[in-house]
Amino acid sequence: MTLIARPTNREEDWRYSDAAFLSTAPIDTFDDWRTVTVAPGDVLRETVQADDAAPSAVARCRVHVGAGGRYEYFATIVSGPYRRIELDVTLEEGAHFEFGGVTLGGDSKVQEFVTRVIHAQPGATSNQVVRAVQWGKSTGNFLGRIEVVRDAQKTDAAQNFRAILLEKGASANTKPELEIFADDVKCAHGAAIGALDQTAAFYMAARGLSPEKARALLVRAFIADAFAAIDDETQRETMLEDALAHLDEGAL
């Protein structure tokens, strides 16, 4: 019998999580892993829209992508008080992982994406883009870990996190990690947390747009980055419009 350990904020992978949730949620919540396998050469895209019913506040998934396969995952988190989407992805030779995530939160919500991408064979690639828009006293988190094993030459991996804090009480956290044992690789990460660009908002307002409309357009452009890799225009616009529909008007 395997005992399931209850995570706490002392663990790096859970350091920004909601402490009250971790201490009171049913223990099975933390061992409910979904498994996805992408066969060699196949392509699989999964999307989680903002209004999709969530069976649990914690959604965890282990993914194995065969040689030359491609796995894409795009998600929007708007719910609370705590929501976590976690992906553990292993890439074989020439496989690709594409990830786009958006958090939109007000009140005291804690919302987070946590990823671990293992480049297990040469020539695999991955790209991760996360955008957070927070207001009230909410928090948006992204913890992204990239592991490149010793023989995984020609790896190309990138992750980018940006957050806009619409009110002073909001916050965002990011924890990028790179563990690289191969020497012929390209790995990069970037992060930026700040307020909405008031200069751009003023510029737009000076040309006849209301302040609310100007801010809404800036937020739209900001979160659109997370869905830019969706090659189906209809699906891309659906994801974007669905996310924006849940943006609290009070935040703008």
Side-chain angles (χ1 to χ4, degrees):
M1 180 178 179
T2 302
L3 295 178
I4 304 170
R6 181 181 294 277
T8 71
N9 293 125
R10 291 189 295 273
E11 299 174 45
E12 285 299 308
D13 288 347
W14 299 84
R15 64 184 300 182
Y16 300 120
S17 304
D18 182 84
F21 176 86
L22 296 184
S23 63
T24 60
I27 191 65
D28 290 348
T29 299
F30 308 106
D31 196 44
D32 185 14
W33 287 89
R34 182 170 67 97
T35 300
V36 173
T37 300
V38 181
D42 282 359
V43 177
L44 175 63
R45 175 184 296 157
E46 295 191 290
T47 59
V48 179
Q49 293 179 231
D51 57 356
D52 286 349
S56 172
V58 177
R60 312 181 81 181
C61 183
R62 291 192 178 100
V63 184
H64 187 275
V65 188
R70 182 182 180 93
Y71 177 67
E72 301 180 358
Y73 187 93
F74 300 94
T76 302
I77 299 177
V78 297
S79 56
Y82 176 68
R83 180 75 189 275
R84 173 188 178 103
I85 292 179
E86 182 174 353
L87 298 172
D88 191 312
V89 181
T90 300
L91 301 172
E92 298 296 336
E93 185 171 2
H96 179 75
F97 171 53
E98 187 74 34
F99 172 60
V102 172
T103 65
L104 295 169
D107 301 320
S108 298
K109 296 175 182 176
V110 177
Q111 305 160 318
E112 58 186 1
F113 291 108
V114 180
T115 64
R116 178 190 180 205
V117 182
I118 303 171
H119 288 253
Q121 297 290 337
T125 57
S126 62
N127 185 54
Q128 304 176 67
V129 179
V130 178
R131 297 291 180 261
V133 181
Q134 313 298 141
W135 62 96
K137 296 184 180 300
S138 69
T139 302
N141 302 322
F142 174 51
L143 286 74
R145 180 178 177 85
I146 297 172
E147 300 178 15
V148 182
V149 306
R150 190 172 304 279
D151 296 324
Q153 307 296 349
K154 303 299 182 181
T155 286
D156 190 342
Q159 59 183 18
N160 183 273
F161 173 79
R162 292 175 62 194
I164 286 179
L165 309 181
L166 297 177
E167 295 179 347
K168 290 184 178 179
S171 62
N173 301 289
T174 182
K175 183 174 179 288
E177 292 185 88
L178 301 176
E179 185 177 76
I180 303 169
F181 291 102
D183 53 14
D184 185 8
V185 303
K186 291 195 296 183
C187 293
H189 64 81
I193 300 172
L196 198 65
D197 187 342
Q198 296 301 322
T199 300
F202 177 80
Y203 177 88
M204 296 169 72
R207 279 148 183 79
L209 291 177
S210 68
E212 294 78 14
K213 182 65 174 178
R215 287 163 65 88
L217 287 174
L218 289 172
V219 170
R220 177 189 174 90
F222 178 75
I223 67 175
D225 289 347
F227 305 134
I230 301 177
D231 57 11
D232 184 317
E233 182 178 356
T234 300
Q235 189 175 41
R236 184 172 63 247
E237 287 299 310
T238 297
M239 289 289 294
L240 181 56
E241 294 300 329
D242 181 71
L244 291 171
H246 291 79
L247 186 63
D248 190 335
E249 292 183 0
L252 298 175

